[in-house]
Amino acid sequence: MTKEVCEVTHVNEQAVTKVQQQMPDLSGVAKFLKALSDETRLKIAYALTVEDELCVCDVATIIGSSVATASHHLRYLKEHSLAKSHRKGKQMYYALADEHVYQIVTIAYEHAKEGIANGSDTE
């Protein structure tokens, strides 16, 4: 088995400086990804890639939870700019915030599926 570490210490100063100078504040991205790191919220987001919008009752049924739990997760997604909502009469409907969220969820799913197919699922 090969070690996945350098066997000698040699820092490429030019590469390090270049990266450090171009490194943006990624805290917003970390919060965005953290919001999707919960399996229940990810299921909700994935459901919203299949259907353009779902009411809270639909989401609760899909994830097998109470309406209160589904509503909590949907609010969390909305607060983290992953979902948007609107009311129709007495029902609240949710959709993904934009095409970027749709792409991230679908690409992440495809990537995970490829990893499992290639035997690199390390869980």
Side-chain angles (χ1 to χ4, degrees), residues 16-122:
V16 169
T17 300
K18 179 181 177 184
V19 171
Q20 287 176 332
Q21 289 174 345
Q22 294 183 32
M23 184 68 67
D25 176 6
L26 296 171
S27 59
V29 177
K31 288 178 186 175
F32 176 90
L33 293 174
K34 185 177 178 184
L36 285 176
S37 70
D38 176 85
E39 189 173 351
T40 300
R41 289 192 296 268
L42 188 55
K43 284 180 181 179
I44 293 168
Y46 186 83
L48 292 170
T49 69
V50 177
E51 284 292 324
D52 289 341
E53 68 176 20
L54 293 165
C55 78
V56 177
C57 300
D58 295 335
V59 171
T61 302
I62 290 166
I63 64 172
S65 76
S66 67
V67 170
T69 296
S71 183
H72 165 77
H73 284 296
L74 287 160
R75 269 193 315 274
Y76 188 93
L77 290 172
K78 184 177 176 182
E79 289 167 1
H80 289 81
S81 303
L82 293 162
K84 58 187 177 183
S85 67
H86 68 277
R87 184 174 293 282
K88 286 184 186 175
K90 293 185 178 186
Q91 291 183 293
M92 186 63 83
Y93 284 83
Y94 284 82
L96 293 177
D98 59 33
E99 184 66 21
H100 295 119
V101 179
Y102 175 90
Q103 290 174 356
I104 289 167
V105 171
T106 55
I107 289 169
Y109 172 71
E110 289 299 321
H111 178 73
K113 208 166 70 171
E114 288 172 9
I116 292 168
N118 294 330
S120 62
D121 182 35
T122 57

